[in-house]
Amino acid sequence: MCGRTACTLAPDEVSRACSSYYRGRGGQRRQPRWRDGDADKYRPSYNKSPQSMSPVLLSQRHFDKNAPAGECVLAAMRWGLVPAWFKNDPSKMQYSTSNCRSESILEKKSYKDPLIKGQRCVILADGFYEWKRQEKDKQPFFIYFPQTLGKKEDQVGSVTSALNNKSFETACLSDEASPDLTEEAEAPGVWTGWRLLTMAGVFDCWTPPDGGEPLYTYSVITVNASPNLQSIHERMPAVLDGEEEVRRWLDFGHVKALDALKLLQSKNILTFHPVSSLVNNTRNNSPKCLQPVDLNNKKEPKPTASTKMMMSWLMSSSPSKRKETDTRVRQEEGESKAGTKRKSAQPLQQWLQGAKKKPKNH
């Protein structure tokens, strides 16, 4: 299932990140615009729960029937689908609609109606949290797309948050864990920051009986967990991998519902790391929710200068402040030499190198 996510990018960064999945009529990558007023409704968060507003990518034709085919728009929608036919106050719904199972989506009216109408969307997030049941408690994990390193200085903080643990045992023991980060050449205008997770969903529009502003809500579609996630949980979000799958899922005019459902498969493409139990409480909303923890070491690792740089970057409220923070801390570290490639100084790489040391007994 998917009951908690993180989406820490600012509204303009979400739009830039979507250029990886969205092309205009001429085939060139484009940044989808936000619907009027929706960018202000969305609030970045390290710990998003149902009922919060999340960024969603969908076809512009849902709002303008005359829009060009393939044109997309970003909208802020509330997590937890409220059917258009629901008669009462949405807060009085007696059942959860934050997730819907792909296997039974055509059996339940709440989800079947919007699916048949073509009301498909892509929910965007840095990643999602899942809890593994243990004997006495539950261990949270953060799950996301493997990341690559770009060359933009103002994006270095988010990209260096990536850590690739290829299996549950790797994540827990930290003996063989290693970052899955590679440098890529950057083309002009191409987003090289955090690769957002793209989850398939359905949405609906509920209008108050006495009039008022329509409420747009969504549900995350889930599938059986992929092999590398089964040890954590039996379900996972239906992930759309790459530009073509995103395009087909959103193209309700040419890709009918039954064909679109074929895109929803368990994909063994995500990576993860264990995080602190701080994320258990939805009131906790800080970079520490995402920070990897060493399950063999109860003590919190002493922060390094590079770790402080990452945390400062994440806590900055705007891309401009992030760039200023990144430059300032790197100068303090003596790494301001022009043209120097930063490969080994990544915060999580340093964390990982420390984790490879033999754990102390406590």
Side-chain angles (χ1 to χ4, degrees):
M1 60 181 294
C2 178
R4 206 78 64 80
T5 66
C7 193
T8 64
L9 297 185
D12 65 309
E13 292 177 307
V14 173
S15 179
R16 290 163 57 197
C18 285
S19 63
S20 301
Y21 307 104
Y22 176 48
R23 294 179 186 267
R25 284 175 290 175
Q28 296 182 334
R29 297 194 180 279
R30 292 181 55 191
Q31 298 177 19
R33 66 174 182 83
W34 283 86
R35 287 189 70 215
D36 292 343
D38 274 22
D40 295 330
K41 297 177 182 178
Y42 157 64
R43 292 288 183 272
S45 174
Y46 301 94
N47 196 356
K48 279 188 172 292
S49 59
Q51 306 305 310
S52 63
M53 303 295 283
S54 299
V56 169
L57 187 68
L58 68 164
S59 172
Q60 172 65 13
R61 286 195 170 184
H62 292 297
F63 307 107
D64 179 5
K65 294 182 179 179
N66 296 319
E71 183 172 340
C72 293
V73 65
L74 282 167
M77 292 190 185
R78 199 176 80 174
W79 189 1
L81 188 143
V82 178
W85 46 261
F86 191 71
K87 301 297 184 183
N88 300 316
D89 185 335
S91 65
K92 297 180 180 179
M93 287 183 60
Q94 299 297 313
Y95 53 94
S96 173
T97 56
S98 56
N99 292 167
C100 62
R101 300 173 69 96
S102 61
E103 302 92 328
S104 58
I105 194 170
L106 292 174
E107 300 172 7
K108 298 184 178 181
K109 180 177 175 60
S110 298
Y111 310 125
K112 178 181 178 180
D113 286 359
L115 180 69
I116 297 301
K117 293 177 183 177
Q119 293 170 190
R120 309 194 296 257
C121 63
V122 175
I123 300 99
L124 305 167
D126 294 10
F128 69 98
Y129 298 99
E130 195 54 84
W131 283 257
K132 175 181 172 59
R133 291 184 179 276
Q134 300 180 144
E135 291 184 2
K136 297 181 179 180
D137 54 10
K138 296 180 180 180
Q139 171 60 47
F141 289 82
F142 186 59
I143 306 170
Y144 49 97
F145 273 139
Q147 303 294 310
T148 57
L149 284 176
K151 295 184 179 179
K152 287 189 178 180
E153 290 183 354
D154 65 339
Q155 296 162 353
V156 87
S158 63
V159 180
T160 56
S161 298
L163 175 67
N164 180 32
N165 294 325
K166 298 184 183 300
S167 66
F168 172 72
E169 290 76 16
T170 301
C172 288
L173 299 178
S174 303
D175 292 330
E176 303 297 332
S178 61
D180 186 15
L181 301 176
T182 57
E183 292 197 358
E184 289 184 346
E186 177 189 343
V190 174
W191 171 256
T192 58
W194 188 268
R195 182 189 176 191
L196 290 177
L197 191 63
T198 43
M199 299 175 284
V202 290
F203 74 92
D204 213 341
C205 178
W206 180 84
T207 303
D210 56 352
E213 183 179 1
L215 174 65
Y216 285 90
T217 59
Y218 71 88
S219 179
V220 176
I221 302 174
T222 65
V223 295
N224 289 325
S226 58
N228 70 326
L229 298 181
Q230 288 175 356
S231 59
I232 300 176
H233 198 278
E234 62 181 9
R235 304 290 294 180
M236 66 178 287
V239 175
L240 300 166
D241 184 20
E243 177 184 342
E244 180 62 15
E245 288 195 3
V246 168
R247 184 194 67 78
R248 287 179 57 79
W249 180 252
L250 296 181
D251 189 3
F252 67 95
H254 296 93
V255 182
K256 301 305 178 183
L258 293 179
D259 291 327
L261 288 176
K262 296 177 182 178
L263 296 169
L264 310 184
Q265 306 292 332
S266 299
K267 300 182 176 75
N268 203 45
I269 56 175
L270 302 182
T271 189
F272 57 88
H273 62 250
V275 295
S276 166
S277 59
L278 281 172
V279 75
N280 294 358
N281 191 328
T282 57
R283 291 192 295 270
N284 293 329
N285 181 21
S286 76
K288 289 186 177 181
C289 291
L290 294 173
Q291 187 173 358
V293 296
D294 185 350
L295 300 184
N296 283 330
N297 190 348
K298 300 300 182 182
K299 293 183 179 180
E300 184 175 347
K302 184 177 180 180
T304 64
S306 292
T307 302
K308 291 179 181 178
M309 179 190 74
M310 180 186 72
M311 301 301 283
S312 297
W313 191 96
L314 288 170
M315 295 176 68
S316 299
S317 59
S318 67
S320 60
K321 289 182 180 179
R322 290 176 185 173
K323 188 171 183 178
E324 292 169 4
T325 302
D326 178 42
T327 302
R328 175 176 55 80
V329 179
R330 283 191 296 109
Q331 289 174 343
E332 292 176 358
E333 291 183 273
E335 295 179 357
S336 58
K337 183 178 180 181
T340 300
K341 290 187 178 180
R342 304 176 68 252
K343 292 184 179 180
S344 60
Q346 308 306 333
L348 292 189
Q349 286 178 318
Q350 291 192 349
W351 175 87
L352 184 59
Q353 290 169 359
K356 286 184 177 180
K357 298 178 181 179
K358 185 176 181 180
K360 298 179 179 180
N361 295 322
H362 296 279

